[in-house]
């Protein structure tokens, strides 16, 4: 018997297979856990014998186009081997209860989705009866596509070839039944009514990058309380929803697991992606996001397909969709985005710097009295690299009820308030209480002995604040491009050069991901007119940067960033 998972892990870590950082980390994790499993303290063991039957079944599945069996690539066997080979020493049940599997489009995800679902329906060990498997997606149409074009199509091909399988299964419009065990596979979306009776064994979240909230994830996970080896599988390419739960919640978490910063022995993760956007220019590195390029029988055709897609995107000057779908790089939905999401991520620090006694530039963006107001802080770090640290705090209006606002904005303000990132108005009317803003600014300055260089403000609806903060230097910043273009471009430059550090403030990151720019001749500014998303924290930050950008004037080539277009 060949231990495919360990073979793949060794070939990746030895450099025989070109792989991105996260794939190398996943393979190192597997090899390290093999050593850990020798200790009585580690509760899991690796039994590759458990994967043989699963791999054989998957390789029997006919291609829905040709009808011929499809051999699994070695990387696919690594994934299957990891999910089915790692077991609890005491119970023998599967170790992993959650999996995050991401790669570029046409990367071999379909055989895994259909194969795992069908294997569990036909041969699942526990529970013996009532194995509920759900192919889920963000919409009913998308969930139906997964069910119809992947799982149902595969089973119909098997039923054509096997009277035995045809005898024990029933295929209906919206579900597949295994009659002897009363088990089923069914499409499920957030539009589906009555989730209360679910008892999910396997929940597959396909193309999770399109999800705007965690509702479906919560439905699946909350239904698995009685399952001994329930499994949630996220299987998706990258996408454009930088504020969606896949990119903002799951992707950072699996990054921490793979890097060792966080430990979760029940979460399997593997991400096939380009380590840097510049690598797209090197064909030899495309295998990082497209692991099927390592399969000799299809690599020539696949390379030709990718070359055609990339050239067409470059010719049309619309490369972002190709980078996302064909190279698994997360990008904003618009080429007019203020900041590239990956550039912003690279500026993140795990621990914020000590701000006590620091100089600070304070920006204020007053919204409508019933919406969101932001105060952003830019602290020059006065180090050799001439870097800044940025943070923000928001004030939330609740005119039509906090729960309605949370649902409408898809932001859990209640949780963020508990974590200290925002303040919810205490007014019964639900309007913003400017006294809360004043108290927050004053307390933050006094508690940290801050040296306020200036308070910079959009003149809209701010007079009360100015009267109460008159001890500080105050600078009005008009919101026209003539005033905002230079600080906006310089802010982009500092992010691009990793000199604008942040500590993953969620509301600030949401604002950065939402912010679009408008171009007026050679000038730019954040587009407040068209953007209906929450951008107040970054708007306040750009206002503060009107003065903060001059802090290192003697050491920065102002002409460089003033004239260069850094819109990403």
């Amino acid at each position: 018997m060949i231990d495919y998972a360990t073979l793949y892990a060794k070939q990746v870590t030895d450099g025989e297979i070109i792989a991105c950082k996260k794939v190398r980390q996943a393979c190192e994790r597997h090899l390290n856990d093999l050593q850990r499993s020798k200790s009585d303290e580690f509760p899991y063991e690796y039994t590759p014998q458990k994967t043989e039957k699963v791999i054989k079944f998957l390789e029997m599945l006919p291609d829905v186009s040709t009808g011929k069996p499809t051999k699994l690539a070695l990387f696919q066997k690594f994934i299957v081997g990891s999910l089915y080979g790692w077991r609890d020493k005491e119970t023998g049940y599967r170790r992993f209860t959650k999996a995050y599997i991401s790669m570029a489009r046409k990367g071999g995800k379909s055989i895994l989705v259909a194969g795992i679902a069908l294997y569990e329906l036909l041969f699942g060990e526990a529970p013996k009866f009532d194995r509920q498997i759900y192919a889920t997606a963000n919409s009913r149409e998308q969930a139906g596509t997964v069910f119809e074009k992947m799982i149902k199509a595969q089973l119909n091909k098997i039923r054509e070839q096997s009277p035995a399988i045809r005898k024990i299964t029933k295929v209906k419009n919206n579900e597949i039944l295994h009659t002897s065990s009363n088990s089923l596979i069914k499409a499920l979306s957030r539009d589906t009514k009555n989730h209360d009776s679910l008892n999910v064994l396997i929940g597959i979240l396909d193309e999770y990058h399109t999800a705007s909230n965690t509702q479906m994830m919560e439905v699946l996970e909350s239904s698995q309380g009685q399952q001994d080896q329930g499994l949630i599988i996220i299987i998706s390419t990258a996408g454009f929803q930088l504020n969606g739960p896949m990119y903002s919640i799951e992707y950072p978490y699996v990054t921490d697991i793979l890097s060792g910063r966080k430990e979760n022995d029940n979460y399997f993760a593997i991400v096939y992606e380009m380590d840097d956007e510049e690598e797209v220019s090197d064909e030899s590195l495309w295998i990082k996001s497209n692991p099927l390029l390592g399969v000799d029988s299809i690599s020539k055709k696949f390379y030709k397909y990718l070359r055609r897609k990339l050239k067409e995107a470059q010719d049309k000057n619309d490369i972002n969709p190709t980078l996302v779908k064909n190279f698994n790089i997360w990008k904003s939905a618009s080429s007019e985005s203020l900041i590239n999401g990956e550039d912003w991520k690279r500026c993140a620090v795990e621990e914020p710097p000590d701000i006590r006694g620091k100089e600070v530039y304070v920006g204020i963006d007053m919204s409508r009295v019933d919406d969101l107001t932001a105060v952003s802080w830019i602290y020059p770090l006065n180090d050799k690299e001439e870097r800044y640290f940025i943070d923000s705090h928001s004030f939330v209006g609740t005119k039509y009820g906090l729960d309605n606002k949370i649902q409408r904005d898809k932001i859990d303000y209640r949780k963020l308030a508990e974590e200290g990132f925002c303040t919810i108005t205490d007014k019964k009317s639900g309007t913003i209480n400017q006294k809360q803003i004043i108290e927050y600014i004053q307390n933050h300055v006094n508690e940290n002995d801050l040296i306020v260089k200036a308070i910079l403000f959009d003149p809209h609806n701010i007079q009360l604040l100015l009267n109460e903060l008159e001890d500080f230097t105050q600078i009005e910043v008009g919101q026209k491009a003539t005033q905002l273009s230079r600080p906006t471009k310089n802010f982009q430059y500092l992010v691009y050069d990793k000199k604008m550090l942040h500590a993953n403030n969620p509301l600030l990151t949401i604002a950065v991901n939402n912010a679009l720019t408008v171009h007026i001749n050679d000038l730019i500014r954040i587009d407040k007119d068209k953007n209906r998303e929450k951008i107040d924290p970054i708007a306040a930050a750009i206002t503060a940067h009107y003065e903060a950008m001059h802090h290192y004037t003697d050491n920065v080539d102002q002409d460089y960033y003033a004239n260069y277009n850094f819109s990403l």
Side-chain angles (χ1 to χ4, degrees):
M1 187 205 73
I2 301 174
D3 178 1
Y4 293 107
T6 302
L7 175 63
Y8 179 77
K10 287 181 177 178
Q11 289 186 359
V12 167
T13 55
D14 290 343
E16 295 179 43
I17 296 175
I18 296 173
C20 67
K21 181 179 180 180
K22 287 187 176 66
V23 170
R24 292 197 306 273
Q25 289 173 332
C27 291
E28 289 166 357
R29 182 190 188 195
H30 175 81
L31 297 176
N32 290 337
D33 284 353
L34 288 178
Q35 295 301 314
R36 295 172 69 196
S37 67
K38 297 176 183 179
S39 168
D40 291 338
E41 296 178 1
F42 191 65
Y44 306 103
E45 61 186 359
Y46 179 63
T47 54
Q49 297 85 354
K50 291 283 188 179
T51 70
E52 277 191 288
K53 185 178 178 181
V54 188
I55 291 174
K56 285 181 179 179
F57 173 77
L58 294 181
E59 293 192 321
M60 288 172 57
L61 291 176
D63 183 280
V64 294
S65 300
T66 67
K68 297 179 180 180
T70 303
K71 291 292 183 182
L72 294 185
L74 187 56
F75 81 91
Q76 293 170 316
K77 292 178 181 179
F78 173 77
I79 294 171
V80 175
S82 297
L83 294 180
Y84 282 89
W86 281 103
R87 301 280 171 157
D88 187 291
K89 288 179 180 177
E90 183 177 343
T91 65
Y93 294 137
R94 288 192 301 265
R95 163 188 172 180
F96 292 113
T97 59
K98 197 168 186 178
Y100 181 109
I101 303 165
S102 181
M103 63 191 73
R105 180 175 286 177
K106 297 186 181 296
K109 300 189 296 295
S110 299
I111 189 68
L112 295 176
V113 169
I116 289 174
L118 290 172
Y119 179 84
E120 289 296 328
L121 176 74
L122 299 173
F123 307 111
E125 299 171 354
K128 187 174 181 179
F129 300 101
D130 191 31
R131 295 186 297 277
Q132 296 184 19
I133 301 134
Y134 291 93
T136 80
N138 196 42
S139 67
R140 179 173 297 176
E141 180 181 0
Q142 188 180 8
T145 299
V146 175
F147 178 78
E148 292 285 341
K149 294 187 177 181
M150 295 180 185
I151 300 171
K152 190 174 177 181
Q154 288 276 16
L155 181 61
N156 282 333
K157 289 290 183 182
I158 300 174
R159 282 166 56 87
E160 290 175 6
Q161 300 172 11
S162 172
I165 296 295
R166 188 163 60 247
K167 183 178 180 180
I168 62 173
T169 58
K170 287 185 178 180
V171 180
K172 299 183 177 181
N173 287 336
N174 62 346
E175 66 180 11
I176 298 167
L177 299 176
H178 182 251
T179 54
S180 61
S181 68
N182 193 34
S183 299
L184 62 82
I185 302 177
K186 192 172 184 177
L188 184 71
S189 74
R190 66 180 182 181
D191 304 320
T192 305
K193 296 180 180 180
N194 189 17
H195 293 150
D196 295 337
S197 61
L198 299 182
N199 185 20
V200 179
L201 172 64
I202 305 289
I204 299 169
L205 286 157
D206 186 66
E207 298 302 349
Y208 193 50
H209 68 87
T210 63
S212 58
N213 56 54
T214 61
Q215 180 180 342
M216 184 52 64
M217 177 79 77
E218 291 167 359
V219 166
L220 295 176
E221 290 185 329
S222 65
S223 73
Q224 291 188 318
Q226 301 301 316
Q227 292 290 346
D228 291 317
Q229 51 179 5
L231 176 62
I232 303 295
I233 304 176
I234 297 169
I235 189 160
S236 180
T237 59
F240 300 101
Q241 290 247 31
L242 301 189
N243 288 329
M246 182 172 172
Y247 185 76
S248 65
I249 299 175
E250 299 300 326
Y251 183 83
Y253 186 58
V254 300
T255 299
D256 285 343
I257 291 173
L258 292 173
S259 67
R261 287 190 294 269
K262 291 182 180 176
E263 186 173 322
N264 186 336
D265 287 331
N266 303 118
Y267 200 140
F268 172 79
I270 192 163
V271 184
Y272 292 90
E273 64 182 5
M274 308 306 291
D275 286 314
D276 191 281
E277 189 174 319
E278 294 180 0
E279 293 181 340
V280 174
S281 62
D282 186 347
E283 287 189 10
S284 68
L285 301 178
W286 289 358
I287 191 174
K288 288 187 173 185
S289 55
N290 294 274
L292 278 181
L293 289 174
V295 180
D296 292 338
S297 61
I298 63 173
S299 62
K300 184 176 181 180
K301 182 190 295 186
F302 205 1
Y303 270 116
K304 185 177 180 180
Y305 163 76
L306 290 174
R307 290 187 194 109
R308 186 180 74 248
K309 291 288 292 184
L310 182 59
K311 184 180 185 303
E312 184 178 336
Q314 291 170 334
D315 290 346
K316 293 178 178 178
N317 197 27
D318 186 21
I319 196 170
N320 276 7
T322 298
L323 294 178
V324 171
K325 295 304 175 187
N326 299 108
F327 296 97
N328 211 32
I329 299 172
W330 287 89
K331 302 286 287 186
S332 172
S334 173
S335 60
E336 299 301 312
S337 297
L338 173 70
I339 298 294
N340 181 300
E342 289 299 305
D343 290 336
W344 181 250
K345 276 175 55 180
R346 283 191 282 268
C347 290
V349 293
E350 289 189 39
E351 293 294 333
D354 185 5
I355 62 171
R356 289 190 61 81
K358 293 283 187 188
E359 297 171 300
V360 65
Y361 297 85
V362 186
I364 303 176
D365 186 78
M366 293 292 296
S367 67
R368 301 193 311 269
V369 295
D370 61 343
D371 193 13
L372 201 72
T373 286
V375 177
S376 292
W377 311 77
I378 297 182
Y379 307 87
L381 298 181
N382 294 324
D383 57 9
K384 292 181 180 179
E385 297 179 56
E386 299 178 349
R387 299 178 301 174
Y388 298 83
F389 176 72
I390 182 174
D391 205 357
S392 185
H393 191 87
S394 295
F395 298 83
V396 183
T398 59
K399 186 173 181 180
Y400 300 104
L402 180 57
D403 289 332
N404 286 336
K405 185 168 182 61
I406 289 171
Q407 184 174 4
R408 184 172 65 250
D409 295 351
K410 299 181 177 63
I411 299 172
D412 192 344
Y413 293 112
R414 188 177 284 107
K415 179 182 177 183
L416 292 176
E418 293 173 357
E419 295 172 348
F421 294 110
C422 66
T423 298
I424 297 170
T425 184
D426 58 3
K427 281 192 170 185
K428 292 183 178 179
S429 64
T431 59
I432 299 289
N433 187 346
Q434 294 195 18
K435 290 184 179 179
Q436 286 180 298
I437 303 173
I438 294 165
E439 290 176 3
Y440 177 83
I441 293 173
Q442 291 173 334
N443 290 339
H444 187 69
V445 169
N446 293 334
E447 289 170 3
N448 293 287
D449 297 322
L450 298 176
I451 303 169
V452 177
K453 301 291 288 182
I455 289 181
L456 299 104
F457 60 92
D458 171 355
H460 173 69
N461 193 31
I462 199 171
Q463 194 55 47
L464 173 61
L465 264 71
L466 299 182
N467 292 340
E468 296 297 323
L469 300 172
E470 60 183 2
D471 292 340
F472 303 113
T473 299
Q474 299 176 354
I475 301 175
E476 179 178 319
V477 181
Q479 299 300 291
K480 294 183 179 180
T482 50
Q483 284 192 276
L484 291 179
S485 185
R486 289 189 71 193
T488 301
K489 288 183 178 182
N490 182 247
F491 191 91
Q492 291 176 317
Y493 158 70
L494 291 170
V495 171
Y496 183 80
D497 212 30
K498 294 189 283 190
K499 291 186 177 181
M500 183 64 72
L501 308 182
H502 64 90
N504 285 313
N505 179 313
L507 284 173
L508 179 58
T509 294
I510 288 171
V512 167
N513 291 338
N514 283 334
L516 304 178
T517 57
V518 59
H519 293 250
I520 305 170
N521 297 320
D522 292 332
L523 305 177
I524 68 169
R525 64 173 174 82
I526 292 178
D527 191 347
K528 288 187 173 182
D529 298 326
K530 292 183 180 179
N531 200 308
R532 296 292 180 264
E533 304 293 341
K534 300 306 165 191
I535 62 171
D536 308 84
I538 189 61
I542 297 297
T543 299
H545 200 56
Y546 181 81
E547 278 297 310
M549 68 176 177
H550 298 300
H551 189 83
Y552 298 113
T553 297
D554 294 338
N555 299 319
V556 175
D557 183 354
Q558 295 288 338
D559 290 336
Y560 172 64
Y561 61 72
N563 295 321
Y564 191 86
N565 184 0
F566 280 101
S567 181
L568 304 175

